[in-house]
Amino acid sequence: MTDTPTLSQTALTDTVRDALKTALGPKGWSEDASELAPHVEDWRGRYQGSTPILLKPGSTEEVAAAVKICAEASIAITPQGGNTSLCGAATPQGEVLISLKRMTRIREMDVDNDSMTVEAGCVLETLQGVAADADRLFPLSLGSQGSAMIGGLISTNAGGVQVLRYGMTRDLVLGLEAVLPDGSIWSGLTGLRKDNTGYDLKQLLIGAEGTLGIITAATLKLFPRPARTELAFIGLDSVEDAVTFLGLAKRLSGNAVTAFEILPRIALERVLEHVPGTRDPLESPQAWYVVCEMSFGRAEGARETLEDALGEGFEQDLIKDGAIAENDTQAKDFWRIRESIAEAERAYGRSVKHDVSIPVSRMAEFIALGSQRVTDAFPEAVVFCFGHVGDGNVHFNFASPSPGEAEAFMAKAKEISAIVYNTVAEFDGSISAEHGIGILKREELARLKPVDVAVMRAIKTALDPKGIMNPRVLLTQA
């Protein structure tokens, strides 16, 4: 567990503390250690932080009041949603912590416009259900959807398993409402798909990880619910074969592929060992596996389309074995394998994790070269990569050879990551595909993208001249 660096910042005085309590009322704050505890440690247990007070505003106006008080006193703020950040972006280190968990209203459901306006504290799984009740689909889907909140997901531009078909979170946002660093409220909530009136300000806030303001509400895109979804669990010899089959499946299905997830044999073995109730869907072991999902506007012909794609895959010797989910229970079992990989990985031991993206066409080459470079330098490293190969995102991890060797192995994490990120740069990839930068990757971002960071720093200075908004995150200190 790592303490985040403490910045030089103004201490919270009793006067400011009292002003915050008055502005938010008795339900809007807490200093109780037991309530603060889960808010000051990140999801992975990597960072342990602290806060003098937890603020729990119930409205945009209360968020604005709290930010204005802090801004006038130059008090730093950390905004937080469901606290599911994987890079330490929401772990306070002495800052005032503002949680959006009380802001859970569905402000509007506009079925004819295929949009809904919701507050930042709404949990993703809840929003999926609200959309389904209106016979619509909100396609953002990821492992932490039972606790991740939409404000945080927008702030980190989260990805998930359906980016291939529907895009990243920023592609699902029509409008935003946010409180800016001076406490003013910017209302950009709109259901418009065309609005060519200058800078698209919402895009500054999406992916900014709370460094430019606090997102309080969003208007989200909805889609017609698929009439039929078909799912297959496929065994292949190589990543090359998986990428080739992806192109084939998209072509034969009319681009109906909504998810295309890859995992190696070792990942399946770890899931079977550490996650009760899971089983191998195929009769014989394979080197690699793909979970392939197709969604259709009409039920007629859906199964046949998937079967045709699989048949062509077998004919071209791309697929060695495969199974189609015959019912919802079997489909959930297939997805459970993919979604339990991170849990199984943690149960086995520690690993050096990387969330990177590479052009799909070069994915196989990258995995081979990156694996070779790391294992040449550290022969004990166990390659453990999986992810959303359909959109070029791979979780390129390296595990300790055994749980007992984890501490010694993790001492080499910085060197391993440098090899991985340098290789990513050679492939014109990204060191953060969907998890963000947070605290974890600030230095690497500054090293690999100095011009981008200079531009971001100029924007940050213009909007947050006092530097109070999530000051430890995204950008290294100048």
Side-chain angles (χ1 to χ4, degrees):
M1 191 175 294
T2 305
D3 288 337
T4 52
T6 302
L7 302 178
S8 176
Q9 59 191 41
T10 305
L12 182 66
T13 64
D14 289 342
T15 300
V16 174
R17 187 189 304 265
D18 290 344
L20 290 169
K21 291 179 179 179
T22 300
L24 271 64
K27 294 182 178 180
W29 60 272
S30 177
E31 296 171 313
D32 183 277
S34 61
E35 184 173 0
L36 267 58
H39 289 274
V40 297
E41 181 178 349
D42 82 308
W43 183 80
R44 280 180 171 165
R46 186 191 300 269
Y47 301 105
Q48 178 66 49
S50 64
T51 182
I53 189 169
L54 169 64
L55 302 183
K56 302 178 290 181
S59 67
T60 299
E61 290 71 24
E62 289 186 357
V63 175
V67 172
K68 184 176 182 180
I69 290 168
C70 289
E72 291 175 349
S74 299
I75 301 293
I77 296 166
T78 292
Q80 188 179 92
N83 198 23
T84 57
S85 169
L86 298 176
C87 297
T91 307
Q93 189 69 26
E95 298 89 7
V96 167
L97 181 61
I98 298 184
S99 169
L100 283 299
K101 63 183 179 181
R102 289 181 59 213
M103 295 185 59
T104 59
R105 287 195 306 131
I106 309 298
R107 294 190 185 176
E108 182 183 25
M109 171 62 72
D110 190 342
V111 174
D112 290 338
N113 193 53
D114 283 325
S115 66
M116 63 179 174
T117 299
V118 305
E119 292 188 337
C122 292
V123 172
L124 174 55
E125 200 167 65
T126 300
L127 295 181
Q128 293 168 343
V130 169
D133 290 343
D135 196 30
R136 292 294 184 269
L137 171 72
F138 182 58
L140 183 60
S141 179
L142 36 80
S144 61
Q145 62 193 31
S147 53
M149 298 177 187
I150 194 63
L153 293 167
I154 294 171
S155 293
T156 54
N157 187 31
V161 298
Q162 299 199 82
V163 172
L164 172 62
R165 178 77 168 271
Y166 297 103
M168 296 284 283
T169 298
R170 72 169 66 252
D171 300 303
L172 303 175
V173 176
L174 293 171
L176 288 180
E177 173 189 86
V179 174
L180 302 180
D182 64 355
S184 60
I185 298 172
W186 172 67
S187 183
L189 290 176
T190 174
L192 299 177
R193 286 162 174 80
K194 287 186 173 181
D195 182 7
N196 208 4
T197 53
Y199 299 148
D200 191 352
L201 298 180
K202 69 177 180 294
Q203 296 297 347
L204 282 178
L205 293 164
I206 299 172
E209 301 184 29
T211 60
L212 301 179
I214 300 177
I215 293 170
T216 52
T219 301
L220 306 172
K221 283 184 189 175
L222 301 178
F223 297 83
R225 284 179 62 78
R228 184 70 173 267
T229 298
E230 297 287 350
L231 188 71
F233 195 92
I234 304 163
L236 316 94
D237 279 343
S238 66
V239 179
E240 291 94 334
D241 288 345
V243 171
T244 302
F245 178 68
L246 169 64
L248 182 154
K250 289 196 290 186
R251 175 174 55 84
L252 292 181
S253 69
N255 210 29
V257 180
T258 46
F260 198 88
E261 302 289 300
I262 196 168
L263 58 146
R265 178 67 192 179
I266 188 174
L268 178 58
E269 290 175 347
R270 294 276 169 86
V271 169
L272 299 178
E273 179 183 358
H274 295 287
V275 181
T278 54
R279 66 178 188 85
D280 190 337
L282 305 182
E283 293 183 358
S284 59
Q286 304 296 325
W288 291 89
Y289 302 91
V290 160
V291 179
C292 177
E293 180 185 86
M294 296 182 181
S295 298
F296 303 89
R298 298 183 63 180
E300 295 83 359
R303 172 61 64 93
E304 291 78 9
T305 300
L306 177 59
E307 289 174 344
D308 288 347
L310 295 178
E312 186 67 24
F314 277 111
E315 182 70 22
Q316 295 188 23
D317 201 31
L318 300 172
I319 298 175
K320 300 304 178 183
D321 198 0
I324 296 177
E326 296 296 335
N327 49 53
D328 288 345
T329 299
Q330 196 170 23
K332 289 177 181 177
D333 288 343
F334 289 178
W335 271 120
R336 189 180 179 208
I337 290 171
R338 167 60 185 90
E339 292 168 351
S340 299
I341 293 175
E343 176 187 345
E345 191 179 15
R346 286 196 304 273
Y348 178 80
R350 300 182 67 187
S351 59
V352 184
K353 297 177 173 65
H354 310 96
D355 162 51
V356 302
S357 59
I358 302 294
V360 174
S361 58
R362 305 192 70 189
M363 179 65 72
E365 182 187 357
F366 167 78
I367 290 175
L369 181 59
S371 299
Q372 179 185 334
R373 286 178 173 176
V374 171
T375 54
D376 282 351
F378 303 97
E380 72 276 23
V382 177
V383 183
F384 196 97
C385 65
F386 62 96
H388 324 293
V389 71
D391 57 45
N393 176 195
V394 61
H395 300 298
F396 198 50
N397 303 343
F398 293 88
S400 61
S402 69
E405 300 174 76
E407 187 173 345
F409 181 75
M410 293 303 293
K412 305 167 185 175
K414 190 171 183 178
E415 298 167 87
I416 292 172
S417 293
I419 294 172
V420 171
Y421 293 146
N422 287 339
T423 305
V424 168
E426 290 177 25
F427 281 75
D428 295 322
S430 171
I431 65 171
S432 181
E434 61 180 2
H435 293 169
I437 297 298
I439 299 166
L440 184 63
K441 300 181 183 180
R442 294 175 308 175
E443 285 74 21
E444 288 293 342
L445 180 66
R447 178 175 72 86
L448 294 170
K449 305 185 78 171
V451 176
D452 299 63
V453 167
V455 173
M456 285 188 266
R457 197 182 302 283
I459 295 170
K460 168 76 169 172
T461 300
L463 293 181
D464 183 19
K466 292 186 176 182
I468 67 167
M469 296 301 304
N470 226 7
R472 303 158 294 99
V473 167
L474 193 59
L475 303 172
T476 55
Q477 299 306 299

